[in-house]
Amino acid sequence: MLRKLSSLILVGVAGLAMSGCSGGGGTDGAATGSSAGAGGGNDKIVMGFAQVGAESGWRTANTKSIQESAAQAGIELKFSDAQQKQENQIKAIRSYIQQKVDIIAFSPVVESGWDTVLKEAQRAKIPVILTDRAVDSPDKSLYKTFLGSDFVEEGRKAGQWLVDEYKDSKDPVNIVELQGTTGSAPANDRKAGFQEVIGADPKFKIAASQTGDFTRAKGKEVMEAFLKSTPKIDVLFAHNDDMGLGAIEAIEGAGKVPGKDIKIVTIDAVKDGMQALADGKINYIVECSPLLGPQLMDLSKKVLAGEQVEPRVVTEETTFTQEQAKQALPERKY
Ligand code: AHR
């Protein structure tokens, strides 16, 4: 109770701190937090969630899942959108520490550079849960658990599709790669997993590889450049659906047929990606589930109740062919 009362005073100060961190576009924790929990003097669990941004269909679905699950679980959510900037996420986390929330969860935009702020949370005795993306800190005591996909495995699955698709061909296969945000766990891990599988056969060559920052606009822009600089492109590997969808626009703009002239494999399986797969414009999608909200709320309650939780909780995921996408689309939730 004392902790909740003192937070009544601090929340005003924290509100000022937060107003500098959301950059105007997204929601932020101090602005969207309701009157309960840390600021309202009741016993509701208060969670501060520092989101990466709104860069993709996946991220929008992830935010919705977290907001809806918090409401269903009776957890008060203070939510901030970092607009893909690490400094904004750090400011948001510091604000949650000042507000003395009960628990902090966040999806780190990049892997490095978190130790200082995580130590601040630890000193304030506020447990932290990583969702979706990992940090590279060797000190695992800085967070209670990491909930999310196995991105290396996703990259391997994309590579395996390619190996199977070209198993009867001896000709060189020229690949262009649209990487996710530089320094992020999904970009690093998907690249590594993909390379591990295709690297076993020298006919697979990555002719060009560049970041498209997980956005549709950048995916289009970089693919346009690839089409100009790389004379023969057989395959596009895009680290997410949105960049793949942007690239499809670039490929069509160049008078080529996506899915035929250039085969495309992506990761996520959001509705727009699944529609393009069903329409034959994408050839294969490796699923990455954004529906992390229910597990996150469950883990948070356990952590705050002092129960032991697994240090790593891996999301269950599948893959989709064009036929499977047609079947799955009517029921697809995001
Ligand atoms: O961290 C998950 C990745 O982030 C998703 O694959 C991508 O779409 C998002 O922006």
Side-chain angles (χ1 to χ4, degrees):
M1 269 324 264
L2 246 181
R3 195 167 130 182
K4 304 254 177 199
L5 266 175
S6 56
S7 67
L8 265 172
I9 303 157
L10 280 163
V11 74
V13 179
L16 285 176
M18 283 295 290
S19 63
C21 91
S22 73
T27 54
D28 73 46
T32 57
S34 68
S35 60
N42 70 21
D43 281 335
K44 241 183 171 182
I45 291 174
V46 180
M47 171 188 285
F49 189 93
Q51 181 60 288
V52 168
E55 72 282 5
S56 63
W58 189 100
R59 189 63 56 195
T60 306
N62 179 247
T63 291
K64 191 164 174 262
S65 168
I66 284 156
Q67 289 173 335
E68 286 177 358
S69 315
Q72 269 160 25
I75 291 178
E76 186 195 333
L77 186 69
K78 293 183 175 291
F79 182 88
S80 58
D81 171 342
Q83 300 181 337
Q84 296 241 70
K85 292 195 179 80
Q86 182 173 31
E87 66 263 30
N88 288 348
Q89 270 194 316
I90 291 175
K91 276 186 201 161
I93 293 168
R94 290 207 167 116
S95 165
Y96 296 145
I97 296 171
Q98 277 186 307
Q99 292 177 65
K100 297 187 187 292
V101 299
D102 298 304
I103 192 158
I104 293 171
F106 80 114
S107 177
V109 60
V110 290
E111 284 192 279
S112 307
W114 298 102
D115 285 42
T116 304
V117 74
L118 288 177
K119 279 181 188 149
E120 289 167 24
Q122 193 172 56
R123 271 198 298 277
K125 297 194 172 23
I126 300 175
V128 172
I129 295 184
L130 302 180
T131 73
D132 163 37
R133 297 185 183 180
V135 297
D136 64 4
S137 172
D139 184 356
K140 307 284 180 227
S141 79
L142 293 176
Y143 53 91
K144 295 293 173 194
T145 182
F146 165 34
L147 162 68
S149 309
D150 181 341
F151 295 135
V152 178
E153 189 55 26
E154 290 173 351
R156 286 192 194 112
K157 286 178 185 169
Q160 192 54 51
W161 171 77
L162 204 62
V163 168
D164 296 342
E165 185 72 8
Y166 287 91
K167 67 176 183 307
D168 299 325
S169 167
K170 297 254 178 296
D171 298 335
V173 180
N174 276 348
I175 303 158
V176 294
E177 181 182 29
L178 280 168
Q179 295 180 39
T181 303
T182 305
S184 70
N188 294 342
D189 293 354
R190 287 171 184 168
K191 184 172 187 53
F194 185 74
Q195 185 59 47
E196 180 191 310
V197 174
I198 64 159
D201 187 337
K203 79 179 175 213
F204 295 112
K205 271 189 52 191
I206 300 198
S209 179
Q210 209 178 300
T211 183
D213 214 10
F214 281 130
T215 69
R216 215 177 271 214
K218 265 280 190 165
K220 182 177 181 204
E221 187 186 310
V222 177
M223 189 68 201
E224 280 168 351
F226 285 164
L227 286 159
K228 285 185 189 134
S229 65
T230 314
K232 182 178 174 283
I233 301 173
D234 299 303
V235 175
L236 162 67
F237 170 40
H239 288 193
N240 78 345
D241 287 351
D242 277 79
M243 291 189 295
L245 291 163
I248 287 171
E249 289 178 35
I251 293 167
E252 288 177 333
K256 294 184 189 286
V257 183
K260 292 203 165 60
D261 295 337
I262 297 177
K263 293 191 179 170
I264 303 178
V265 52
T266 66
I267 296 177
D268 275 355
V270 294
K271 252 198 184 133
D272 287 357
M274 292 287 272
Q275 188 60 60
L277 181 62
D279 293 344
K281 296 184 178 193
I282 293 179
N283 301 79
Y284 193 68
I285 299 185
V286 177
E287 187 184 42
C288 176
S289 175
L291 306 181
L292 303 176
Q295 276 172 297
L296 173 61
M297 301 311 147
D298 192 43
L299 286 165
S300 299
K301 285 185 175 176
K302 286 186 172 146
V303 165
L304 290 170
E307 287 176 39
Q308 276 298 317
V309 294
E310 290 297 323
R312 175 75 170 105
V313 181
V314 181
T315 319
E316 278 179 33
E317 288 157 347
T318 185
T319 55
F320 293 96
T321 61
Q322 292 174 340
E323 277 316 304
Q324 288 166 332
K326 284 179 200 157
Q327 306 277 316
L329 255 176
E331 303 294 312
R332 202 73 185 154
K333 289 198 180 65
Y334 56 90

